[in-house]
């Protein structure tokens, strides 16, 4: 039983997600949580600059922050989001990955995150992608701001569409006030759309899948604080992948040929570069 949605609402939301490949709800996070998350980001960047990866002058990401702080646990476990995810994925739902994304104002509008599918970049392997991402906006995203864009139904009915064939101006820009949550299927074609007058855009992003599958990415360590937790409000195997070493071949996996001396940031940069080559 959800305390936020009726059964009928959950059914409608899950139905919309299944058909469109994405879903947007406002007020997933309240004003106090927004203040808390934004302040936690500032603290983390100051205290742990090495955990942050810059993939371009507009793209900065914190990918392995959970070992350093419990500040974002409530974003991963947000019941307003989880109630919907449980309907979409079922009780086998498990947490995969968490990242903080900052999209900075820039005059360089060449987007590093052009149209793509997540996790696996090879077109022929697109059916292996089976995860749901939830992106929570911590700043307002207006038509003037860099935004997340998605091509509806490309997770399913239009799954044969190749990201390389999608025109730059296609897709739906998903705008919304701070506190909005956007759920999207990782197989749906999506990307960032950069705007010349954008403010800094801040988002939190979590990925979820099923606990029986391989892990989709190994960038977010799941600390004991989370996997040792016994919370009846959470799905039963929510942090089951904390020690999973079987990682899906793709942009979530450290390539075996890279030097062990490279930091996670350097590895992610290289994996993203190789991923773009494979498209
Ligand atoms: O919203 C954005 O800026 C891009 C997000 C994206 O492409 C991704 O999360 O894979």
């Amino acid at each position: 039983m959800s305390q936020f949605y009726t059964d009928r609402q959950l059914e409608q939301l899950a139905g919309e997600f299944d058909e469109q490949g994405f879903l947007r709800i406002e007020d997933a996070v309240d004003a106090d949580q927004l203040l808390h998350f934004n302040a936690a980001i500032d603290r983390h960047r100051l205290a742990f600059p090495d955990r942050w990866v810059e993939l371009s002058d507009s793209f900065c990401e914190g990918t392995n922050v959970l070992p350093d702080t419990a500040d974002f646990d409530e974003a991963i476990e947000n019941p307003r989001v989880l109630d919907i995810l449980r309907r979409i994925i079922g009780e086998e739902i498990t947490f995969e990955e968490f990242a903080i994304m900052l999209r900075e104002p820039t005059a360089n509008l060449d987007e590093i995150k052009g149209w793509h599918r997540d996790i696996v970049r090879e077109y022929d392997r697109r059916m292996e992608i089976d995860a749901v991402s939830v992106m929570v906006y911590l700043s307002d995203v207006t038509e003037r701001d860099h935004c997340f864009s998605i091509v509806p139904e490309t997770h399913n009915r239009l799954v044969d569409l190749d990201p390389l064939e999608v025109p730059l101006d296609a897709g739906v820009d998903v705008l919304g006030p701070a506190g909005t949550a956007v759920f999207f299927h990782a197989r749906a074609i999506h990307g960032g759309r950069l705007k010349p007058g954008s403010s800094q855009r801040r988002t939190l992003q979590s990925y979820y899948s099923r606990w029986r599958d391989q892990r989709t990415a190994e960038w977010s360590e799941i600390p004991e604080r989370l996997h040792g937790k016994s919370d009846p409000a959470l799905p039963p195997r929510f942090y089951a992948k904390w020690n999973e070493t079987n990682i899906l071949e793709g942009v979530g996996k450290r390539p075996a040929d890279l030097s062990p001396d490279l930091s996670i940031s350097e590895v992610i940069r290289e994996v993203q570069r190789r991923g773009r080559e494979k498209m």
Side-chain angles (χ1 to χ4, degrees), residues 81 94-95 179 181 206 236 256 275:
V81 165
T94 203
F95 166 73
S206 309

Side-chain angles (χ1 to χ4, degrees), residues 101 103 111 113 116 118 135 147-148 184 190-192 201 205 207:
M101 200 191 300
R103 305 296 321 242
E111 171 53 332
K113 287 272 185 178
H116 65 281
D118 279 345
M135 190 186 265
C147 68
F148 173 79
F184 66 95
H190 64 275
R201 179 181 59 131
Q205 197 170 3
Y207 284 77

Side-chain angles (χ1 to χ4, degrees), residues 187-200:
R187 197 192 301 132
I189 298 176
H190 64 275
R193 196 183 316 274
L194 298 185
K195 308 279 179 71
S198 182
S199 311
Q200 185 195 60

Side-chain angles (χ1 to χ4, degrees), residues 1-2 5-13 87:
M1 258 309 258
S2 168
Y5 313 97
T6 63
D7 207 51
R8 199 173 144 66
Q9 283 172 321
L10 284 175
E11 199 153 313
Q12 274 172 350
L13 291 166
R87 186 56 71 103

